[in-house]
Structures are given as structure tokens and as C-alpha cells.
Amino acid sequence: MKELLEVIAKHLVDNPAEVSVKDYMDDDALILELHVSEDDMGKVIGRQGRIAKAIRTVVKAAAIYEDKKVVVKIMQ
């Protein structure tokens, strides 16, 4: 999941070197924190959050395939 999120984010931003993903377990869910530069926040979130919602949908679909629960958080 972590690698999938990182690849998606790196293709969306202008500064792919500043993209990082941290993962940790919280209760029964895998938490993925996506960190991008401040200049790229708009590209990752999108107008009215459409890009962020699409990213979460893709990652959750991949998680269902592996029978896991995943939460994606977009951080600065």
C-alpha cells in the first residue's frame, strides 16, 4: 500500500523528491501519512478534494484485495 500511494503522489506533484509516506498500525487499520511540499498540496488535494478522494479510493480498493483496512492522511 505504501509503495502504491508513493507512486501515485510522485506522478501528481512538481517536486517528487519531497514526497514521503509514513505507515503505522492504529487499532485494526493501517494508517498511511502522505507528506508533500507545501507548494504541491493543491495538486494532491485537487479542486474540492476530488484528487484526494480518488487517491483514497484507489488505495482502499487495493487494500480490500489484500483484506486490510487502510486510512490515507495527507499531511504537509
Side-chain angles (χ1 to χ4, degrees):
M1 297 307 125
K2 179 178 177 180
E3 295 82 16
L4 174 63
L5 180 59
E6 193 170 333
V7 167
I8 292 170
K10 283 185 178 183
H11 282 87
L12 290 174
V13 299
D14 290 332
N15 302 317
E18 295 186 28
V19 172
S20 66
V21 178
K22 295 181 182 175
D23 61 337
Y24 60 90
M25 291 297 295
D26 185 33
D27 295 328
D28 61 339
L30 174 64
I31 309 296
L32 297 175
E33 289 185 352
L34 173 62
H35 296 268
V36 297
S37 69
E38 189 174 331
D39 297 335
D40 290 327
M41 284 299 288
K43 290 180 177 74
V44 173
I45 295 173
R47 185 171 287 151
Q48 296 181 351
R50 290 185 184 135
I51 302 295
K53 184 177 179 181
I55 291 170
R56 288 184 177 112
T57 300
V58 170
V59 173
K60 285 183 181 183
I64 289 172
Y65 182 74
E66 294 184 10
D67 199 30
K68 295 181 181 178
K69 183 178 178 187
V70 175
V71 176
V72 177
K73 294 182 178 181
I74 299 173
M75 315 294 275
Q76 255 186 352

